[in-house]
Amino acid sequence: MSTATTHTAEHPAGEYHGGLLRWLTTTNHKDIGTMYLTFSLIMFFVGGLMILAVRAELFSPGLQLMQPEFFNQLIGVHALVMIFAALMPAATGFANWMLPLMIGAPDMALPRLNNWGFWLLPPAAILLTLPFTLALFGIGDGALATGWTFYAPLSVQGGMGVDFAILAVHILGISSIMGSINIIVTIFNMRAPGMTMMKLPLFAWGWLITAFLLIATLPVLAGAVTMLLTDRHFGTHFFDAAGGGDPILFQHLFWFFGHPEVYILLLPVWGLMPHVLSTFSRKPTYGYKAQVYSFIAIGLLSVVVWAHHFFTAGMPVPALVYFMFSTMAISLPLAVLFFCWIATMWKGAMTFETPMLFAVGFIVLFGIAGLTGLILADVAADAQYHHSYFVVAHFHYALFAGGIMGVMTGVYYWLPKWTGHMYSEKLGKLHFWLTVVSFNLTFLPQFFLGLAGMPRRIPDYALQFAEFNAISTLGAFVLGFSQLLFAWNIWSCVRGGPKVESRVWEGAEGLEWELPSPPPHHTWEIQPVIK
Amino acid sequence: MTPAFTDADLARRRAASRRLGWLLGAVVLVIYLIGLFIKR
């Protein structure tokens, strides 16, 4: 065994600061992964509390708890927090923790960039939520009330909460781009000898496509909100019809980012699923190449379908037809993924530990998101469902059942590896069942509300919608409070619990399971060689 | 699993990463700036 001095020069052993300074200055991928995941969990609860207030208001018709302006602010900031400050950092946390372990790299390729990428997040989150606090002291009129989409001309006319959100989105975007660059270069340049691209773990493939999507689309969002800022304060008229501008241009620019963003949130989870399914089915992943090519196809298709988000804004018929069929085409590679996931389980020696429960729950519920997405992709049907609760239910099946439950799958799968302790399986399973039941209780009624014509983003509604709204609110509160079990289980596992082996799960395969649990601060100083 | 990441090897990998990182950063900047030339 030869000496491995290289990256210990980057992170000199025994020269770590203690306390807060350690976390401020760390360049270690595991520390940064932990910070991303902790930040994500905190913001998950912040965004969750906002939407519980919204659901409380919607429990019955009429205005009970808040004014419509505040209601709108809560909805918009809830979405921005959940997307940019909870889901995306969770996926980046996974990447930081696991990519170097999975590909046999000693760390991320650009460790300092990694540290910057994380530490941009807290100020951005503060900027997003600060206007609520300022309004309490009579400063400004609260957070942005435009919904997370910033649609012009409302956002051109809105209060200073819009400026705060524009600045926050710029910072969050810079953070994500830094993370993406780091992930791409790490995958390309830091792989262990013998790990060719077609031997790359599927989690790494999912993240690679995600990172390229972020590089391609986030600058467009940044450009759009910069133009919005100049419209608001510097006399330009990009989106102001009164000055010859075009509000629909904003929708095009926003959704050129916004639709790939859906896949940015989901691809890391799709990459994780085969690992979990294969582990608990005790079978190799079915259709590795098919899944890689599906990831690439979905990534490519995701940037050419954006206008299905605003069919009703009006566009030429050929454009409607093109965006309808291109959107539907995404279901083909997605169906390939579903078949591969199911085939991986087929005739396997399956056991249902907590991560597997979440993975199977993910497949079923995310399947509903896919099928209802096909309905919304249909131009004629969309004319009725657009801006209704049907859309709200659809994207929560995609982003909660697909995104957040996917993240929970990953946490339950890798937490024993990270901490060296096993969590309470009993609590994990209870968390799963409470989550699945209350999630459906919350969002299944919203499909019917949408079909019956209830529009989204309103604090008051007609009496005919009362029962389904009451059920949905009850479900949301159970869903929200059952997440405390998740936090408690993680906390208990970090503090202690039964020790686990290197290979935490019997059927787990991959480089990461050859390392001790928890892995030492520096890993793969000696290169693993992949055969 | 014997060969270590030598200084030279890791330095080469990090240098290649920095180059690609700058290139990707430049691509981001170009896409961002294109927005300013969009015709309404």
Side-chain angles (χ1 to χ4, degrees), chain A residues 403-489:
Chain A
I404 291 179
M405 279 181 63
V407 168
M408 288 168 178
T409 308
V411 170
Y412 281 120
Y413 186 54
W414 285 321
L415 190 62
K417 169 58 65 184
W418 299 334
T419 61
H421 304 131
M422 181 49 78
Y423 49 80
S424 161
E425 269 283 337
K426 203 171 161 186
L427 218 54
K429 286 175 178 168
L430 179 66
H431 172 227
F432 169 77
W433 286 111
L434 279 172
T435 299
V436 165
V437 171
S438 58
F439 169 79
N440 283 295
L441 207 59
T442 308
F443 293 105
L444 205 58
Q446 293 183 8
F447 280 123
F448 299 106
L449 286 169
L451 289 171
M454 179 169 163
R456 58 192 286 210
R457 292 175 174 157
I458 53 159
D460 191 8
Y461 50 82
L463 277 175
Q464 72 192 83
F465 305 127
E467 287 82 5
F468 276 145
N469 268 295
I471 294 169
S472 184
T473 296
L474 287 174
F477 273 82
V478 178
L479 182 60
F481 283 103
S482 60
Q483 301 320 308
L484 294 173
L485 293 177
F486 181 50
W488 174 253
N489 214 359

Side-chain angles (χ1 to χ4, degrees), chain A residues 356-402:
Chain A
M356 184 62 162
L357 282 178
F358 270 94
V360 174
F362 158 88
I363 292 175
V364 173
L365 296 177
F366 182 64
I368 295 174
L371 292 173
T372 50
L374 276 175
I375 296 171
L376 288 168
D378 185 292
V379 175
D382 185 70
Q384 180 179 341
Y385 305 140
H386 182 79
H387 207 70
S388 78
Y389 259 84
F390 191 89
V391 180
V392 178
H394 157 73
F395 69 68
H396 279 92
Y397 271 83
L399 295 184
F400 189 98

